[in-house]
Amino acid sequence: MTPARDVYGFEASAERAAEKLRSSSSVLVVGHIDADGITATSIASLALTRAGIPHETRSVKKLDADEMGRAEAHPAQTVWFVDLGSGVLSKLDPDRCVITDHHRIDPSAAGEWPGHVNPHLFGLDGSSEISGAGVTYVVAKKLDPGNIDLSALAVVGAVGDFQEAAEGRLIGYNRVILGDAASLGLITVEKDLRLFGRQTRPVHAFLQYSSEPSLMPFIAGGRGEAALDDIEDEDDRMAAIDFLEDLGITIREKDEFRTWSQLSFEEKRTIISALVNRIIDSGKGLPMVRRLIGEVYTLSPGLPGAPADWLLTPIDGPTDKAKGDLWRPSAKVLLDAKEFATLLNACGRHERAEVGIQVCLGDRREALKVAMAQQDDHRRKLRDAIELVKNSPDFQARTVTPEGRVLRSIRYFHGGSSIEDTIVGIVAGMLLGSPDFPSDRPLIAFAQAGDGSCALKVSGRGTREMVRNGLDLSSAMRSASELVGGSGGGHNIAAGATVPEEREEDFLLAIDLLITVQLSPSA
Ligand code: C5P
Ligand code: C5P
Ligand code: ZN
């Protein structure tokens, strides 16, 4: 049962955690490797540095027995788990740990103890209204109100976890955090097109590669899949350029393509009206317009730790010569919350979480350079993985188990060792949101675990509609994996697990049954 909403209780629990940290002589911060985990780790680290508390940070893929053992053996007095920990609460030592997390809580644990801060305990929804970075920020602010300037990083964490996706804007406690950041001028909130690449993509590429929703069908009357493939598609590119030129938009200034963020208000309005008209004419109507237009979050270049003039001394990333144009992924990636989060994911998901942390701590030179190169690599890997599942028979998504049993409620694919276990969940989410991939069932994705063990990494993704109909992937993933000797958890809309390789069939049957029950009308 969900407890009554109690923001005061939530903040009081953050105060108790801050107290515990304040009296610690040394701390080990352990965080998750995704954008939310990296921003959470950075917020914790900055707050501890400011409080003069010696500490180290460690970024982990998941909190398994090995990682818990490592934390236990570490000499630090206190271990601060950020963006993870709640799911394995019964295995952690309440005397030594602080946990700032937003995942579903281990059902076999007494959730409330001093040092455990989780919105679910107080009727706040951790999957939509506050992220791991957000919870960590609330504790940082209790440690010292001066840490209010860390709020912008918490917004990046929330956006990294898709918390603005459902309503087209941040909701719930995230609005308090957003208000903190806006009050310091660290973030500007605008209503705009909610597409990726406002700050860095040439405006025609911004439209051409839009994926949520894909705009090319309205611009070219053509194919939608270019959305997910960064593969150059000359027809779409020309169609996007023609569309803009017909509207009288100048796409190139001096020798540089203009980005969406460089257009004037009037120019944006002209383009948006034309797009909206075409969408309405197509009969797709308001739901798509609602997905397209919403809040976007522009970050100030002056985040904590960043040198004052870093944006005036541009750091070139690798040029994209394959595109044959002047586009350079520029350092302006850090001016958009979504792009910033993607940059951090690109670091963390490919074993360079420490680079992402350095960027969050203010490094705008070497770390930013490495991070931008990581981003190119990340994009390529995502594109290749999506291609594989869409076009290769060996990898395609199925509704029949390997042993031939029909699944009633899920679809799955197996990335084997061809898709890294750290990105298989992102791939599943992108496929489920892709216009030419079926979204009538939750998608379960497997990949060989990257640690050399004989285990499988599982990622599950659902849609908001499925959640409204009863889907809770976190509980299904936890129960089905435990049944076959694995472990898992997460959120209702997105969850993950690790299971023994030889139990794939049993796991599929179990999770299919659990989800069938969740989604049956009488449940
Ligand atoms: O571990 P963590 O909570 O940070 O992971 C959340 C993940 O859930 C994100 O990486 C994102 O891929 C996924 N998600 C999603 N759709 C949502 C919310 C979250 O795919 N609406
Ligand atoms: O790894 P993936 O992106 O699929 O993770 C989705 C969600 O499930 C994340 O919130 C992650 O923290 C959670 N998860 C978990 N236990 C695992 C794997 C993932 O709680 N073994
Ligand atoms: Zn998170």
Side-chain angles (χ1 to χ4, degrees), residues 248-266:
I249 308 293
T250 308
I251 60 169
R252 200 192 274 254
E253 227 166 43
K254 297 183 194 132
D255 264 346
E256 293 278 340
F257 281 111
R258 296 167 78 201
T259 62
W260 181 259
S261 61
Q262 289 166 339
L263 301 187
S264 70
F265 179 76
E266 278 69 31

Side-chain angles (χ1 to χ4, degrees), residues 166-497:
E167 308 274 335
R169 66 201 284 269
L170 289 169
I171 57 164
Y173 202 93
N174 277 327
R175 295 233 55 96
V176 177
I177 301 173
L178 183 63
D180 284 355
S183 73
L184 297 183
L186 294 174
I187 288 192
T188 317
V189 183
E190 290 163 89
K191 220 167 174 200
D192 201 347
L193 288 190
R194 289 182 54 247
L195 298 174
F196 188 83
R198 282 187 319 131
Q199 295 282 352
T200 51
R201 288 187 168 168
V203 63
H204 61 273
F206 174 73
L207 299 178
Q208 181 185 350
Y209 295 118
S210 59
S211 67
E212 291 196 14
S214 168
L215 293 174
M216 281 323 287
F218 308 102
I219 291 172
R223 306 168 22 199
E225 69 258 37
L228 292 175
D229 305 339
D230 248 7
I231 296 169
E232 177 66 347
D233 182 326
E234 198 53 27
D235 288 349
D236 280 356
R237 176 182 145 93
M238 290 318 295
I241 292 176
D242 285 351
F243 170 74
L244 292 164
E245 288 184 341
D246 287 350
L247 293 172
I249 308 293
T250 308
I251 60 169
R252 200 192 274 254
E253 227 166 43
K254 297 183 194 132
D255 264 346
E256 293 278 340
F257 281 111
R258 296 167 78 201
T259 62
W260 181 259
S261 61
Q262 289 166 339
L263 301 187
S264 70
F265 179 76
E266 278 69 31
E267 287 173 311
K268 286 185 186 175
R269 193 169 55 186
T270 304
I271 299 169
I272 293 172
S273 313
L275 286 171
V276 169
N277 283 339
R278 288 182 185 212
I279 292 170
I280 303 281
D281 286 350
S282 77
K284 298 267 179 187
L286 281 180
M288 181 170 276
V289 174
R290 277 205 198 101
R291 272 172 72 201
L292 187 62
I293 297 168
E295 279 185 0
V296 295
Y297 307 110
T298 304
L299 299 155
S300 144
L303 294 197
D309 59 349
W310 69 273
L311 204 52
L312 302 175
T313 43
I315 306 159
D316 290 343
T319 50
D320 200 333
K321 291 207 177 68
K323 287 206 171 62
D325 59 30
L326 296 170
W327 177 47
R328 282 158 191 260
S330 85
K332 283 187 175 169
V333 68
L334 299 187
L335 301 188
D336 178 79
K338 191 104 208 146
E339 294 193 61
F340 196 147
T342 304
L343 187 83
L344 297 179
N345 264 322
C347 296
R349 303 274 184 183
H350 304 287
E351 292 173 2
R352 301 304 301 269
E354 78 289 353
V355 172
I357 293 171
Q358 286 311 315
V359 173
C360 291
L361 299 186
D363 188 329
R364 296 292 180 269
R365 300 200 69 81
E366 205 45 43
L368 182 54
K369 235 186 212 169
V370 176
M372 292 199 307
Q374 288 288 122
Q375 189 168 28
D376 285 353
D377 192 42
H378 182 57
R379 279 215 187 98
R380 205 167 28 247
K381 284 180 170 151
L382 290 177
R383 185 195 60 199
D384 291 352
I386 284 163
E387 278 281 307
L388 205 60
V389 182
K390 279 191 173 175
N391 300 329
S392 163
D394 287 349
F395 294 88
Q396 94 195 35
R398 301 164 199 277
T399 53
V400 175
T401 68
E403 291 180 18
R405 276 174 276 206
V406 174
L407 296 163
R408 289 174 60 184
S409 304
I410 59 169
R411 183 172 282 107
Y412 76 100
F413 71 85
H414 207 311
S417 46
S418 302
I419 302 180
E420 283 172 54
D421 64 343
T422 48
I423 63 163
V424 74
I426 302 177
V427 171
M430 289 175 83
L431 282 167
L432 202 59
S434 161
D436 55 354
F437 192 89
S439 57
D440 56 327
R441 295 166 173 224
L443 182 59
I444 305 295
F446 293 94
Q448 204 64 45
D451 57 5
S453 69
C454 289
L456 290 177
K457 163 74 201 302
V458 195
S459 282
R461 294 292 187 271
T463 63
R464 290 189 289 281
E465 192 188 348
M466 293 170 197
V467 169
R468 274 197 298 277
N469 291 333
L471 179 72
D472 182 355
L473 276 173
S474 168
S475 108
M477 200 59 94
R478 173 185 291 277
S479 304
S481 60
E482 284 176 359
L483 211 66
V484 300
S487 60
H491 307 288
N492 50 17
I493 196 163

